[in-house]
């Protein structure tokens, strides 16, 4: 899969107090780049804790569920767009279906 906006993740883990997010996010990027998902069930097979939402959205638990990452996945084009990364509190303040 091609990840669009890895820079968003770098910016996130570069913030003060978020340095602990770097190792799990780097691991997530490594796994996703090697993935070849064609449907949501492929994502669930690889990431059991992922939540599949409407409109190709998926919520990933990162860093032992300390952080949440929302992605929009275009399966036919093999592209994943990072739409949001944040803590649970920050995640609770957004609408994951539209962010």
């Amino acid at each position: 899969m091609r990840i669009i906006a890895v820079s968003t993740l770098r910016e996130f883990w570069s913030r003060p107090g978020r340095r602990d997010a770097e190792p799990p996010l780097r691991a997530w990027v490594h796994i996703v780049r090697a993935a070849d998902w064609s449907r949501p069930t492929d994502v669930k097979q690889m990431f059991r804790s992922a939540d599949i939402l409407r409109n190709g959205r998926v919520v990933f638990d990162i860093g032992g569920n300390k952080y949440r990452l929302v992605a929009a996945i275009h399966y036919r084009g093999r592209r994943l767009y990072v739409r949001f990364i944040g803590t649970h509190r920050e995640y609770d303040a957004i609408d994951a279906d539209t962010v």
Side-chain angles (χ1 to χ4, degrees):
M1 299 296 290
R2 180 173 177 219
I3 303 171
I4 308 299
V6 172
S7 61
T8 301
L9 304 179
R10 282 191 210 108
E11 289 171 15
F12 181 78
W13 75 55
S14 296
R15 292 184 206 159
R18 305 285 169 88
R19 305 243 186 246
D20 64 331
E22 182 177 359
L25 283 171
R26 283 188 181 273
W28 180 86
V29 166
H30 179 76
I31 292 166
V32 172
R33 281 184 172 157
D36 185 23
W37 299 326
S38 58
R39 60 191 177 276
T41 54
D42 296 338
V43 177
K44 283 295 279 186
Q45 286 178 341
M46 192 169 285
F47 291 97
R48 300 264 183 224
S49 64
D51 295 320
I52 308 298
L53 306 178
R54 299 178 295 185
N55 302 321
R57 300 293 173 112
V58 179
V59 179
F60 295 93
D61 296 330
I62 304 291
N65 205 18
K66 184 173 182 180
Y67 301 106
R68 291 270 174 107
L69 187 152
V70 178
I73 302 176
H74 295 263
Y75 296 97
R76 287 182 55 184
R78 304 292 193 254
R79 292 182 316 273
L80 180 146
Y81 295 87
V82 175
R83 305 300 297 158
F84 170 84
I85 178 70
T87 64
H88 274 270
R89 174 178 270 166
E90 293 165 336
Y91 172 80
D92 289 341
I94 65 155
D95 180 356
D97 288 319
T98 60
V99 69

